[in-house]
Amino acid sequence: EVQLLESGGGLIQPGGSLRLSCAASGFTFSNFAMTWVRQAPGKGLEWVSAIRGSGDATFYAGSVQGRFTVSRDNSNDTLFLQMNSLRAEDTAVYYCAKVGTSGTTFPASWGQGTLVTVSS
Amino acid sequence: DIVMTQSPDSLVVSLGERATINCKSSQSILYSSNNKNYLTWYQQKPGQPPKLLIYWASTRQSGVPDRFSGSGSGTEFTLTISSLQAEDVAVYYCLQFYSTPHTFGQGTKLEIK
């Protein structure tokens, strides 16, 4: 069974940095791309970032390009999202998700999410 | 970026009746080399992460009840719930994964009449 457990969320001041982690289990982590999706309170879903299984390619939404960095540690089955220069509009629940099948990029299995609140 | 527009924003349907949600993309998300539409549908209940219902526009995810079906091609897509059950109350989202950044529709809130 696929399990994804996000951590690292919390309250951070504008301009600050935070690193989210997502511990994966139940599948061969390095074989699958992984994604981050966020949801602001009471709002819809926003795709944030993705990274290929090998880690050799990364993709970002325009709203986070240049501020967020996605990475992965395939030896420890962990996905990361380094978030810098945080803004109030980055406040959201951040979900990590495994893609559906190897070679695809749509989120299929989701974690429970971790809440990031950017406020002074 | 590809813009995904869902309609309606909210929907009220009686138990046992059909519910239809539409999703339109600003450009075609049909990939000609494999004839697949790069579209998924998700269901999200309050306090829960989204759940994948449909991928490739019409392929039902394992374990999803067969009352859920997806259709459409190119730029226009539909999620149909053939006979609404109480547990189907949720917000439904479409997502295009044809190109990055992937983009979601704004969501459709489905309620029981």
Side-chain angles (χ1 to χ4, degrees):
Chain A
E1 179 192 2
V2 172
Q3 293 197 0
L4 300 166
L5 183 62
E6 301 94 338
S7 61
L11 176 63
I12 186 76
Q13 290 189 341
S17 298
L18 211 55
R19 190 194 200 201
L20 305 184
S21 300
C22 173
S25 61
F27 63 102
T28 303
F29 184 68
S30 59
N31 286 356
F32 293 89
M34 296 291 293
T35 68
W36 288 98
V37 174
R38 68 184 181 183
Q39 186 168 36
K43 303 297 184 183
L45 301 171
E46 181 186 13
W47 183 89
V48 172
S49 181
I51 183 169
R52 286 185 184 163
S54 60
D56 63 347
T58 57
F59 309 89
Y60 300 94
S63 58
V64 306
Q65 181 83 46
R67 300 187 299 123
F68 289 12
T69 302
V70 62
S71 61
R72 61 193 299 158
D73 179 351
N74 285 347
S75 61
N76 287 298
D77 295 353
T78 304
L79 175 72
F80 302 102
L81 186 66
Q82 177 67 43
M83 305 185 295
N84 298 331
S85 302
L86 282 162
R87 307 166 179 166
E89 54 264 35
D90 295 318
T91 294
V93 173
Y94 285 74
Y95 297 101
C96 74
K98 169 190 168 290
V99 301
T101 57
S102 182
T104 65
T105 58
F106 63 85
S109 301
W110 300 64
Q112 290 298 310
T114 187
L115 176 62
V116 172
T117 303
V118 184
S119 175
S120 54
Chain B
D1 299 0
I2 297 176
V3 177
M4 305 299 289
T5 304
Q6 290 181 228
S7 61
D9 290 334
S10 63
L11 186 60
V12 182
V13 176
S14 300
L15 288 173
E17 295 299 304
R18 178 184 299 258
T20 301
I21 298 169
N22 301 299
C23 177
K24 187 169 185 176
S25 56
S26 60
Q27 66 185 74
S28 176
I29 54 175
L30 171 63
Y31 195 40
S32 57
S33 66
N34 60 10
N35 201 36
K36 288 182 181 290
N37 289 282
Y38 281 55
L39 182 108
T40 53
W41 287 99
Y42 299 89
Q43 175 194 66
Q44 187 179 32
K45 298 180 179 180
Q48 297 184 17
K51 173 187 175 182
L52 177 65
L53 297 176
I54 303 282
Y55 57 97
W56 299 133
S58 61
T59 302
R60 198 178 303 114
Q61 173 73 335
S62 175
V64 173
D66 61 8
R67 64 181 180 272
F68 291 91
S69 64
S71 63
S73 185
T75 62
E76 301 203 357
F77 302 90
T78 299
L79 174 69
T80 301
I81 307 172
S82 60
S83 178
L84 191 70
Q85 305 299 304
E87 61 265 32
D88 300 335
V89 169
V91 180
Y92 293 83
Y93 296 92
C94 60
L95 167 80
Q96 69 79 19
F97 59 103
Y98 180 88
S99 65
T100 56
H102 296 346
T103 43
F104 286 92
Q106 79 276 18
T108 295
K109 186 175 184 179
L110 177 59
E111 297 176 303
I112 303 289
K113 186 182 291 182

